[in-house]
């Protein structure tokens, strides 16, 4: 096997980290860059960014072209990270050496790579008959792996992370085992790829098998470099775990920096972080002890009345102190400053826990009212009986709420109720789900839609008092189980809840039909998940590959106020999508497509994607080189990087939207109850590119000065206008205009019913409304 791999570059170990870095410098003269966007997302490139000479930037990372608007770039940093590292060429016997790449690839099925670096590959082009071949890896780089067709022509590449590490390690071990230079190159390759345990093990084998000379001294320097690089990699992972709210895992990882070979500054930083963690743990324990001492000072009657509530606070401090410590700050501050009475301390701690620090009150009766209100609201949100909910509303009205301004007492009550809702655990939570490590299945039956199900995967260290982003994965016709399996590992690492709806009316089909039933299945799944799990409603994303990409794109545009962004991989715009692209003015889009996909450049990019980028919308285009309509699982991490900084604006002060289906009826608080004739079209009657649609339009502008909601609509006969305190001052008279005509003018009446009923149905604690005005 010695002649099965040929050298691209040779070299020696450097005795120190600086020399080693120099040895890994690229031979080419062109440089790469790291392009940092204004939202913090960074793209590494193998060359300096190219420009169209006007406003677009083209970034190339060796696998894909990334197109962004220049005005969204914050800075560009010279960086050769993707151009450094060793490369190995493999000799793979082939029977077909020349040919032409297909013009279009509409379907791909690739088997796993075997120990020889080969796989079975099938694709569909313009012919309905598949082309079948064997493919073989012929070059291994630290970031890119290249391959060729063995018995059919194909020249391609993929990310190194897309090939199992054990396969590549096995191929690298095929170098001449007697050639010290080649063995050393393998170590440098592993370092460039970030495979530090493998690099260290291979280095130790080399030292053992090649005694004598200066190898031991040089290897010591290289080993030190490996130790430092691995420590830096683990240090970065600590930050990832913290952002994922995996605090125990982060603390455990920080305890691994005790190797004396690790750089002193990294060890000092790790010890300092562990010290801060320990200090915070002791502070939290002190808070719990103070609360216990306060409990012991209560009279028997008072303790009996508050025992269960105090037990809930103790449990929260023990399980998720990060989520609740700020709520108790008003009590701890009062303890230190003013020596309040036992009753006042209890009131401050208890009211702050349920309503937040800004709503903490020192009066026990008012704190009791807040707890009662929270429990009543939770019961309302769980209840399926209308008469029970009406009784709960009456009890809420009768409570002794903390007083508000005399001119608007109802405003204060609704403010407090909204805070209670946002801080309480999910009303339909099931503790068994939270301790189950696997996938949970939930079934939904709604009166006006087909029964369906969705799967949920919770992240490690999940707790219902924290708040988690969620990724709604639309499967590609192969069922929600496949979607969860493909996305859960990266979601777990980043701290995301995975929601995988079964949107098909019947299993066995892999097509998406753009139907209201499919939309209802997805929307109801998200609503139900928000009521069961601690989901940050302002960080819910729709994603999909192939058919699932069509579903994700269409559903997200039809319900743009539901998502913080949509990532579409290998899906083409069809039916309603081309006419609804204006929704991306507010809805960020990541679009990933292979350059061999049908009409990738001529139609999809030129006609649909590029115009949106030029309008400075938050749209990013990624074009995979020599790839067709594929799933691109190796780009899942890229999708999570893109999602990380995004947040939904739940209450935009102005927007413009369109609707061409009965199910596209909700637009940031504007709910269409009836469309004008001819403005909605059934999916089966829609032209493939939506050219026969005449969608309704909705525009909203608001004025804080005039306390005005100004609507302009076309194609809408009847609608509900929902409003909350983010847009309206409820202590003043409100005016609502539709097409320049005032449809409401006066002081809106406030009660709990609209807010709680909307929350019960939608479960959206990030987008809450206080009033509903019927129009038309």
């Amino acid at each position: 096997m010695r002649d099965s791999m040929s050298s691209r570059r040779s070299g020696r170990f450097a005795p120190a980290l600086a020399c080693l870095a120099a040895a890994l410098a690229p031979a080419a003269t062109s440089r790469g860059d790291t392009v940092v966007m204004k939202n913090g997302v960074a793209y590494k490139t193998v060359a300096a960014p190219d420009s169209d000479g006007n406003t677009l930037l083209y970034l190339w990372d060796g696998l894909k072209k990334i197109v962004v608007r220049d005005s969204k770039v914050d800075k560009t940093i010279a960086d050769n990270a993707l151009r450094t590292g060793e490369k190995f060429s493999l000799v793979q016997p082939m029977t077909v050496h020349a040919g032409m790449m297909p013009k279009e690839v509409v379907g791909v099925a690739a088997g796993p790579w075997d120990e020889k670096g080969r796989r079975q590959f099938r694709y569909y082009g313009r012919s309905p008959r598949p082309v079948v071949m064997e493919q073989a890896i012929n070059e291994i780089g630290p970031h890119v792996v290249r391959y060729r067709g063995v018995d059919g022509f194909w020249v391609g590449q993929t990310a190194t992370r897309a090939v199992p590490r054990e396969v590549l390690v096995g191929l690298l071990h095929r170098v001449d085992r007697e050639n010290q230079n080649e063995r050393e190159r393998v170590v440098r390759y592993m370092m460039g790829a970030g495979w530090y345990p493998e690099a260290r093990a291979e280095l130790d084998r080399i030292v053992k098998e090649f005694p004598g000379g200066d190898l031991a001294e040089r290897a010591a320097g290289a080993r030190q470099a490996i130790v430092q690089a691995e420590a830096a990699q683990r240090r970065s992972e600590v930050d990832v775990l913290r952002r994922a709210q995996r605090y125990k895992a982060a603390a455990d990882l920080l305890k691994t920096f005790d190797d004396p070979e690790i750089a002193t500054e990294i060890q000092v930083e790790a010890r300092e972080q562990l010290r801060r963690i320990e200090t915070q743990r002791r502070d939290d324990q002190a808070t719990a002890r103070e609360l216990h001492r306060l409990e012991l000072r209560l009279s028997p009657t008072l303790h009996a009345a508050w025992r269960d509530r105090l037990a809930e606070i103790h449990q929260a401090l023990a399980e998720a102190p990060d989520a609740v410590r700020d709520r108790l700050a008003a009590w701890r501050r009062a303890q230190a400053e003013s020596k309040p009475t036992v009753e006042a301390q209890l009131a401050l701690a208890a009211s702050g826990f349920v309503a937040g620090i800004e709503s903490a009150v020192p009066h026990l009766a008012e704190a009791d009212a807040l707890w009662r209100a929270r429990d009543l609201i939770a019961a309302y949100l769980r209840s399926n009986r209308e008469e029970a909910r009406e009784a709960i509303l009456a009890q809420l009205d009768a409570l002794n709420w903390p007083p508000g301004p005399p001119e608007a007492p109802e405003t204060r009550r609704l403010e407090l109720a909204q805070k209670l809702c946002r801080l309480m655990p999910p009303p339909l939570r099931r503790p068994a789900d939270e301790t189950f490590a696997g996938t949970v299945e939930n079934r939904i039956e709604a009166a006006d839609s087909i029964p369906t199900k969705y799967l949920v995967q919770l992240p490690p260290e999940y707790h219902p008092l924290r708040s988690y982003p969620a990724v709604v994965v639309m499967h590609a016709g192969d069922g929600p189980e496949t979607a969860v399996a493909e996305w859960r590992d990266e979601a777990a690492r980043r701290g995301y809840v995975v929601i995988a709806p079964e949107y098909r009316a019947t299993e066995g089909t892999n097509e998406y039909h753009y139907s209201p039933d499919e939309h209802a299945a997805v929307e109801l799944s998200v609503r139900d998940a928000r009521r069961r799990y601690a989901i940050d409603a302002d960080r819910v994303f729709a994603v999909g590959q192939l058919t699932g990409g069509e579903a994700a794109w269409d559903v997200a545009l039809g319900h743009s106020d539901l998502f913080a962004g949509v990532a579409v991989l290998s899906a083409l715009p069809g039916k309603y999508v081309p006419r609804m692209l204006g929704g991306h003015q507010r809805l960020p889009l990541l679009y990933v497509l292979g350059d061999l996909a049908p009409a990738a450049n001529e139609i999809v990019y030129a006609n649909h994607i590029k115009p949106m980028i030029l309008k400075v919308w938050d749209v990013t285009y990624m074009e995979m080189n020599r790839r067709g309509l594929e799933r691109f699982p190796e780009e899942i991490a890229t999708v999570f990087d893109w999602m990380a900084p995004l947040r939904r604006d739940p209450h935009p002060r102005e927007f413009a939207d369109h609707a061409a289906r009965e199910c596209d009826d909700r637009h940031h608080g504007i709910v269409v109850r009836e469309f004008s004739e001819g403005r909605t079209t059934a999916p089966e009657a829609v032209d493939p590119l939506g050219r026969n649609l005449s969608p309704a339009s909705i525009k909203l502008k608001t004025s804080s000065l005039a306390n005005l909601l100004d609507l302009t609509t076309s194609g809408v006969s009847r609608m509900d206008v929902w409003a909350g305190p983010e847009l309206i001052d409820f202590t003043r008279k409100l005016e609502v205009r539709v097409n320049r005509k005032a449809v409401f003018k006066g002081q809106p009446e406030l009660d709990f019913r609209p807010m709680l009923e909307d929350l019960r149905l939608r479960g959206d604690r990030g987008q809450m409304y206080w009033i509903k005005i019927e129009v038309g």
Side-chain angles (χ1 to χ4, degrees):
M1 300 295 287
R2 293 180 182 177
D3 61 349
S4 66
M5 189 171 286
S6 60
S7 173
R8 287 285 299 272
R9 288 199 300 272
S10 61
R12 292 274 178 171
F13 286 123
L17 181 59
C19 296
L20 183 67
L24 289 174
T29 57
S30 62
R31 65 178 178 84
D33 287 311
T34 293
V35 178
V36 182
M37 311 301 290
K38 290 180 179 177
N39 63 7
V41 175
Y43 299 112
K44 291 186 177 296
T45 68
V46 298
D50 193 12
S51 172
D52 66 347
N54 191 10
T55 59
L56 297 181
L57 284 182
Y58 304 100
L59 317 178
W60 171 247
D61 69 356
L63 293 167
K64 58 184 177 290
K65 176 177 69 176
I66 306 166
V67 184
V68 297
R69 180 68 188 257
D70 58 356
S71 61
K72 290 189 174 291
V73 174
D74 179 40
K75 58 185 175 181
T76 301
I77 305 170
D79 180 1
N80 281 316
L82 294 188
R83 295 191 58 81
T84 59
E86 298 288 347
K87 295 179 181 179
F88 291 86
S89 295
L90 279 69
V91 177
Q92 296 272 19
M94 300 178 184
T95 58
V96 176
H97 295 273
M100 295 285 292
M101 287 290 290
K103 299 294 184 182
E104 291 183 357
V105 175
V106 298
V108 167
W113 296 101
D114 63 20
E115 69 279 1
K116 296 180 180 179
R118 297 193 172 204
R119 71 176 182 182
Q120 297 301 313
F121 182 79
R122 183 179 70 227
Y123 76 88
Y124 290 86
R126 294 179 175 176
S127 169
R129 298 182 60 184
V131 178
V132 181
M133 69 177 74
E134 186 179 29
Q135 292 179 336
I137 295 172
N138 62 357
E139 182 182 280
I140 303 174
H143 309 291
V144 178
V145 168
R146 304 187 189 281
Y147 52 87
R148 287 281 305 270
V150 174
D151 49 358
F153 187 76
W154 189 282
V155 179
Q157 70 285 312
T158 188
T160 299
R161 62 177 177 268
V163 182
R165 186 179 299 187
E166 59 270 20
V167 171
L168 294 179
V169 169
L171 294 174
L172 290 170
H173 284 164
R174 291 166 60 180
V175 301
D176 185 352
R177 306 298 290 176
E178 304 300 323
N179 187 322
Q180 180 180 332
N181 286 346
E182 287 297 287
R183 297 283 297 278
E184 292 178 6
R185 286 204 322 115
V186 169
V187 174
R188 289 199 297 276
Y189 171 88
M190 291 175 172
M191 291 187 65
W195 303 349
Y196 302 117
E198 292 84 355
R200 187 186 303 190
E202 180 65 14
L203 179 60
D204 291 343
R205 283 192 290 267
I206 294 173
V207 172
K208 182 178 180 180
E209 295 173 18
F210 294 93
D214 64 344
L215 175 60
E217 180 182 351
R218 291 186 293 105
R223 193 178 192 281
Q224 179 64 18
I226 292 172
V227 170
Q228 306 311 325
E230 185 179 15
Q233 186 184 67
R234 294 205 310 275
R235 175 63 187 85
S236 296
E237 190 64 18
V238 169
D239 292 337
V240 173
L241 292 170
R242 281 180 175 159
R243 287 192 293 269
Q245 302 182 90
R246 297 178 59 183
Y247 301 111
K248 183 179 183 302
D252 289 343
L253 190 56
L254 281 170
K255 296 174 184 176
T256 66
F257 291 85
D258 55 356
D259 188 333
E261 295 182 303
I262 294 176
T264 302
E265 59 269 23
I266 294 181
Q267 292 194 58
V268 170
E269 182 188 4
R271 285 196 293 268
E272 176 61 22
Q273 291 193 37
L274 284 171
R275 186 192 64 79
R276 289 198 295 266
I277 291 172
E278 178 60 21
T279 299
Q280 184 64 71
R281 186 184 69 83
R282 288 198 297 266
D283 288 346
D284 292 333
Q285 289 179 338
T287 298
R289 287 195 299 270
E290 284 297 316
L291 186 63
H292 182 63
R293 280 194 283 266
L294 174 62
E295 191 173 358
L296 293 176
R297 296 170 61 191
L298 301 178
S299 67
T301 302
L302 197 56
H303 182 265
W306 286 85
R307 181 179 54 234
D308 292 344
R309 296 168 176 177
L310 288 167
E312 181 180 335
I313 301 175
H314 278 296
Q315 183 179 4
L317 279 170
E319 296 176 353
D322 53 283
V324 298
R325 65 172 66 103
D326 288 345
R327 305 190 199 179
L328 302 174
W331 162 54
R332 296 306 305 270
R333 186 167 60 243
Q335 264 189 320
E337 295 176 356
S338 60
K339 298 184 183 299
T341 64
V342 171
E343 289 77 8
Q345 288 189 53
L346 177 59
L348 285 167
S351 59
F353 180 83
V354 292
I357 181 174
E358 295 178 353
S359 302
V361 293
H363 306 295
L364 205 53
E366 294 175 3
D368 178 69
L370 290 174
W371 275 85
R372 290 178 184 273
R374 189 204 67 164
D375 293 343
L376 287 169
I377 289 172
Y380 185 100
L381 299 177
R382 290 191 294 264
S383 177
N384 292 320
R385 296 174 52 243
E386 184 175 355
E387 58 274 22
R389 297 198 299 272
E390 288 298 321
I392 291 172
L393 291 174
Q395 293 177 66
L396 284 170
D397 282 329
L399 286 176
N400 183 27
W401 291 82
E407 66 276 9
E410 297 86 357
T411 301
R412 176 63 172 161
R413 295 199 305 172
L414 283 176
E415 285 176 353
L416 290 169
Q418 182 167 290
K419 291 178 180 179
L420 294 172
C421 291
R422 287 177 170 163
L423 292 179
M424 69 171 61
L428 299 186
R429 66 175 289 235
R430 293 181 302 225
D433 291 359
E434 299 158 10
T435 57
F436 182 58
T439 302
V440 177
E441 178 179 306
N442 292 297
R443 294 194 169 271
I444 306 171
E445 293 190 12
D448 55 350
S449 64
I450 297 174
T452 188
K453 70 175 183 179
Y454 68 96
L455 303 183
V456 166
Q457 182 80 46
L458 298 178
E461 298 186 45
Y462 170 89
H463 195 278
L465 290 178
R466 297 186 178 120
S467 184
Y468 297 86
V471 56
V472 182
V473 185
M474 314 297 187
H475 66 80
D478 43 10
E481 296 81 4
T482 302
V484 172
E486 197 158 30
W487 289 78
R488 66 183 167 200
D489 289 346
E490 195 65 26
R493 178 173 176 262
R494 312 276 188 132
Y496 280 67
V497 176
V498 179
I499 302 170
E502 177 52 278
Y503 59 83
R504 298 171 297 185
T506 57
E507 295 188 13
T509 176
N510 61 357
E511 295 182 355
Y512 175 67
H513 300 284
Y514 296 84
S515 70
D517 283 339
E518 291 165 320
H519 277 239
V522 176
E523 188 177 14
L524 289 173
S525 296
V526 174
R527 289 183 175 189
D528 190 73
R530 289 188 305 210
R531 299 167 68 200
R532 295 186 186 279
Y533 308 105
I535 291 173
D536 182 347
D538 294 333
R539 297 184 65 199
V540 177
F541 300 88
V543 302
Q545 301 146 291
L546 300 172
T547 303
E550 295 177 15
W553 205 355
D554 182 52
V555 170
L557 283 173
H559 307 272
S560 59
D561 68 337
L562 194 62
F563 301 103
V566 55
V568 179
L569 290 78
S570 285
L572 302 177
K575 297 271 186 179
Y576 301 92
V577 171
R579 298 297 298 275
M580 304 285 284
L581 291 175
H584 286 305
Q585 185 172 5
R586 304 200 57 81
L587 179 69
L589 169 67
L590 173 64
Y591 188 76
V592 184
L593 191 66
D595 62 354
L596 300 181
N601 277 289
E602 301 86 348
I603 296 177
V604 178
Y605 172 68
N607 292 353
H608 300 307
I609 306 298
K610 182 179 178 180
M612 293 191 290
I613 298 176
L614 290 173
K615 293 176 181 176
V616 204
W617 295 355
D618 194 347
V619 174
T620 302
Y621 178 71
M622 295 183 179
E623 184 178 275
M624 308 297 295
N625 187 45
R626 292 176 179 172
R627 303 287 289 271
L629 287 175
E630 305 177 38
R631 302 179 78 98
F632 304 128
E634 70 276 13
E635 294 302 316
I636 288 176
T638 303
V639 174
F640 278 95
D641 288 339
W642 173 81
M643 292 190 300
L646 298 177
R647 304 289 187 276
R648 175 188 69 167
D649 179 0
H651 299 281
R653 300 205 68 85
E654 62 178 87
F655 69 86
D657 223 337
H658 292 83
R661 268 171 304 197
E662 296 288 344
C663 61
D664 301 341
D665 56 351
R666 177 174 285 274
H667 305 266
H668 296 285
I670 310 303
V671 181
V672 180
R673 292 303 182 192
E674 184 180 339
F675 289 94
S676 301
E677 186 175 353
R679 306 308 287 270
T680 60
T681 307
E684 58 272 15
V686 179
D687 176 271
L689 294 178
R691 288 170 293 201
N692 63 330
L693 293 174
S694 178
S697 65
I698 301 168
K699 294 182 181 180
L700 172 70
K701 290 185 178 181
T702 64
S703 170
S704 299
L705 184 63
N707 215 30
L708 171 69
L709 300 179
D710 190 0
L711 281 155
T712 303
T713 67
S714 174
V716 176
S717 301
R718 189 164 59 89
M719 62 184 173
D720 295 339
V721 179
W722 292 79
E726 292 78 10
L727 298 182
I728 295 300
D729 180 356
F730 286 98
T731 65
R732 301 163 53 200
K733 290 185 177 181
L734 165 67
E735 182 177 359
V736 178
R737 296 178 191 164
V738 177
N739 296 331
R740 300 183 181 181
K741 179 182 179 182
V743 297
F744 179 88
K745 201 170 186 178
Q747 190 79 37
E749 295 183 8
L750 298 180
D751 61 69
F752 294 109
R753 181 182 284 103
M755 181 178 73
L756 295 185
E757 189 63 14
D758 179 63
L759 183 59
R760 184 182 73 86
L761 295 175
R762 296 192 304 118
D764 192 337
R765 294 194 274 184
Q767 188 187 65
M768 297 177 66
Y769 301 108
W770 290 10
I771 61 169
K772 179 181 75 171
I773 299 171
E774 298 180 358
V775 179

